[in-house]
């Protein structure tokens, strides 16, 4: 393992290093890439934590291999190394057996680009024709992204980056079941299916549900033309839709008002391994908000500020509901806020065990917050009390 890391670092062919399956619950993963600072080569290692924070460390090239090896298996139980000459995967089993799958050719002609201003690399490249992007009018047949769709293209790739970060959790087996609720025109539905079935080679069954029959008919037609046989679009109410089995991933993009709460409830009830949801239109709390106590009127004096308070409080309480129901939760930024004001993505990862005392504490906090704000959220009765 150390020989592999020494080779890819010294010869500058490392593109990305990912350390996953952390031992500590407070850590999500670490990622590394090569950089040059004032002519010196470093491995830039960034560690992402469950509280949303990230730490960075630049490790001198000569020390990088030893530093990474020391983290396995004490801190991480899986490592993936990506280079222009192939990949390497290192896994540690439950019985602490170390497996190294080395597919890296010992060729030093492909040197990694170490510039800080290098061109952005997308999961779906912006200069290669992709069938669903062409069919949905994002891209022309030569692979050019239409100017009016560049923001959508960036959103698709950013969403796939978020998905890729938790792929190890989503993909317990090679057969994936994905649920997309309130799917709309389904840019992300097609992107998810393409990512897992074409890029990552999983066997994917994906159900996408929306009330708009004309949109569903359009999407089914596109899926048939692309021969996306595992991608199904259903016209109907997400509340009554019958889920086939426990979803590996449940997603929703900009489900309006309490539709987001219905999606979260569906994900909780089904035991979905991962839930990804971007809320929209927080009308419920906006109409209920009546803070209790003295000196609270100032919160309601300006409509635009009241709306921002309702937005933030609603999503914070949604995060807490997921925690109460056994999920590790992070609120992320989906895309540049200048491109869309509805930019919060809630990520919930199902935990194998929970602390009952901590859950009771969260429930009490949730109820106290609701009483203080004078609100009764959709999820309160069934998923908190």
């Amino acid at each position: 393992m150390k020989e592999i890391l020494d080779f890819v670092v010294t010869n500058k062919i490392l593109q990305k290093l990912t350390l996953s399956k952390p031992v500590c619950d407070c850590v999500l993963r670490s990622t590394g890439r090569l950089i040059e600072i004032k002519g010196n080569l470093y491995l830039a290692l960034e560690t992402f934590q469950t509280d949303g924070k990230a730490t960075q460390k630049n490790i001198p090239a000569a020390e990088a291999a030893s530093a990474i090896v020391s983290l396995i298996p004490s801190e991480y139980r899986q490592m993936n190394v990506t280079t222009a000459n192939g990949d390497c995967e290192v896994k540690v089993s439950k019985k602490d057996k170390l497996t190294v799958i080395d597919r890296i050719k010992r060729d030093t002609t492909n040197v990694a680009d170490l510039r800080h201003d290098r061109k952005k690399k997308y999961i779906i490249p912006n200069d290669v024709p992709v069938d669903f992007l062409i069919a949905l009018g994002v891209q022309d047949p030569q692979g050019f992204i239409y100017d009016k769709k560049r923001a959508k293209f960036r959103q698709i790739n950013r969403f796939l980056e978020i998905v890729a970060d938790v792929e190890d959790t989503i993909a317990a087996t090679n057969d994936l079941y994905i649920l997309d609720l309130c799917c709309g025109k389904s840019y992300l539905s097609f992107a998810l299916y393409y990512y897992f079935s074409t890029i990552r080679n999983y066997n994917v069954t994906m159900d996408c549900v929306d009330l708009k029959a004309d949109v569903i008919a359009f999407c089914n037609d596109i899926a048939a033309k692309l021969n996306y046989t595992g991608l199904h679009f259903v016209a109907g109410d997400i509340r009554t839709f019958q889920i086939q089995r426990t979803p590996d991933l449940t997603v929703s993009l900009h489900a309006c008002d309490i539709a987001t709460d219905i999606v979260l409830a569906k994900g909780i009830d089904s035991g979905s391994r991962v839930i990804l949801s971007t809320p929209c239109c927080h009308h419920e709390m906006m109409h209920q908000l009546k803070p209790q106590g003295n000196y609270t009127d100032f919160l309601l004096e300006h409509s635009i500020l009241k709306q921002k308070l309702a937005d933030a409080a609603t999503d914070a309480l949604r995060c807490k509901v997921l925690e109460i129901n056994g999920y590790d939760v992070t609120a992320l930024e989906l895309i540049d806020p200048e491109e869309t004001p509805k930019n919060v993505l809630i990520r919930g990862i199902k935990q194998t065990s929970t602390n009952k005392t901590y859950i009771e504490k969260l429930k009490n906090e949730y109820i106290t917050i609701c009483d203080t704000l004078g609100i009764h959220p959709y999820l309160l009765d069934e998923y908190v009390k």
Side-chain angles (χ1 to χ4, degrees):
M1 184 165 54
K2 184 177 183 298
E3 177 272 328
I4 296 170
L5 290 169
D6 273 326
F7 178 80
V8 300
V9 171
T10 303
N11 292 287
K12 301 181 182 180
I13 65 169
L14 176 66
Q15 293 178 333
K16 185 178 181 180
L17 179 146
T18 303
L19 296 168
S20 57
K21 297 186 178 179
V23 174
C24 178
D25 292 338
C26 64
V27 175
L28 289 173
R29 71 194 177 284
S30 289
T31 60
R33 64 183 179 89
L34 296 178
I35 62 171
E36 281 186 354
I37 303 175
K38 296 181 179 180
N40 296 314
L41 183 65
Y42 294 86
L43 177 69
L45 191 68
E46 186 169 18
T47 300
F48 300 89
Q49 300 167 344
T50 54
D51 61 2
K53 297 178 181 178
T55 58
Q56 295 83 28
K57 181 179 181 181
N58 293 334
I59 306 171
E63 304 170 13
S66 296
I68 298 301
V69 169
S70 70
L71 301 177
I72 302 172
S74 61
E75 295 187 31
Y76 297 93
R77 302 185 71 83
Q78 181 165 328
M79 177 179 72
N80 292 85
V81 178
T82 303
T83 80
N85 299 335
D87 302 330
C88 175
E89 184 174 64
V90 177
K91 289 185 175 182
V92 181
S93 71
K94 292 181 179 179
K95 296 183 178 180
D96 289 334
K97 179 184 177 182
L98 185 71
T99 301
V100 179
I101 303 173
D102 181 10
R103 304 187 187 92
I104 299 173
K105 297 178 182 178
R106 299 309 191 259
D107 179 359
T108 61
T109 57
N110 294 314
V111 177
D113 185 354
L114 308 181
R115 296 171 297 169
H116 287 287
D117 61 347
R118 67 191 186 283
K119 185 179 179 180
K120 172 71 174 178
K121 291 183 179 179
Y122 294 110
I123 289 177
I124 298 179
N126 60 354
D127 54 1
V128 176
V130 175
D131 55 4
F132 83 88
L133 292 177
I134 296 171
L136 293 176
V138 176
Q139 193 180 54
D140 72 11
Q142 288 71 48
F144 177 79
I145 306 298
Y146 293 113
D147 289 342
K148 291 183 179 181
K149 296 294 185 179
R150 290 190 179 276
K152 178 60 68 176
F153 177 76
R154 288 192 292 270
Q155 183 189 67
I156 288 170
N157 271 285
R158 171 58 180 152
F159 187 75
L160 292 182
E161 288 174 359
I162 293 171
V163 169
D165 285 343
V166 290
E167 182 177 336
D168 287 345
T169 303
I170 294 169
T173 69
N174 192 56
D175 295 306
L176 300 186
Y177 178 49
I178 300 174
L179 196 60
D180 187 350
L181 302 176
C182 302
C183 60
K185 195 174 179 181
S186 304
Y187 290 99
L188 295 187
S189 311
F190 282 98
L192 270 176
Y193 186 83
Y194 177 84
Y195 174 76
F196 280 115
S197 65
T198 301
I199 296 178
R200 302 296 293 145
N201 295 314
Y202 290 96
N203 179 30
V204 183
T205 300
M206 186 168 175
D207 288 333
C208 308
V209 188
D210 198 277
L211 285 170
K212 299 176 182 176
D214 57 336
V215 174
I216 291 299
F218 169 81
C219 292
N220 269 322
D221 183 57
I222 295 294
K225 289 178 179 177
L226 298 177
N227 198 31
Y228 284 11
T229 56
L231 182 58
H232 313 122
F233 293 90
V234 180
D237 192 325
I238 62 174
R239 287 172 292 191
T240 57
F241 176 75
Q242 296 298 310
I243 299 174
Q244 295 185 33
R245 61 180 175 87
T246 299
D248 297 291
L249 172 63
T250 298
V251 302
S252 71
L253 180 68
H254 297 155
C256 189
D257 198 24
I258 64 167
T260 291
D261 299 300
I262 297 169
V263 170
L264 298 181
K266 204 79 172 179
I268 292 169
D269 289 342
S270 65
S272 183
R273 294 169 62 81
V274 176
I275 299 173
L276 299 175
S277 177
T278 56
C280 184
C281 307
H282 305 64
H283 297 311
E284 182 191 48
M285 187 180 294
M286 185 68 171
H287 296 315
Q288 294 182 5
L289 198 59
K290 293 181 180 179
Q292 306 299 305
N294 297 327
Y295 309 109
T296 60
D297 289 346
F298 80 98
L299 293 172
L300 313 179
E301 286 179 0
H302 305 283
S303 179
I304 187 172
L305 299 179
K306 179 183 176 184
Q307 181 65 65
K308 288 181 180 296
L309 171 64
D311 290 357
T314 298
D315 290 340
L317 286 173
R318 284 167 171 162
C319 290
K320 198 170 286 290
V321 166
L322 285 174
E323 286 187 278
I324 289 169
N325 287 275
Y327 285 81
D328 178 57
V329 185
T330 305
L332 305 168
E333 188 174 77
L334 176 61
I335 197 72
D336 191 325
E338 292 184 3
E339 295 184 3
T340 172
K342 306 299 183 181
N343 195 37
V344 173
L345 182 141
I346 297 173
R347 181 184 69 197
I349 299 174
K350 184 72 173 177
Q351 301 299 289
T352 55
S353 62
T354 56
N355 183 316
K356 291 184 179 180
T357 302
Y358 179 64
I359 296 301
E360 287 302 314
K361 175 177 176 290
L362 291 176
K363 287 182 178 181
N364 291 333
E365 288 177 356
Y366 187 101
I367 293 169
T368 300
I369 292 168
C370 291
D371 290 343
T372 302
L373 295 177
I375 58 173
H376 192 104
Y378 178 88
L379 297 171
L380 172 60
D381 292 334
E382 190 169 349
Y383 296 94
V384 177
K385 290 185 176 180

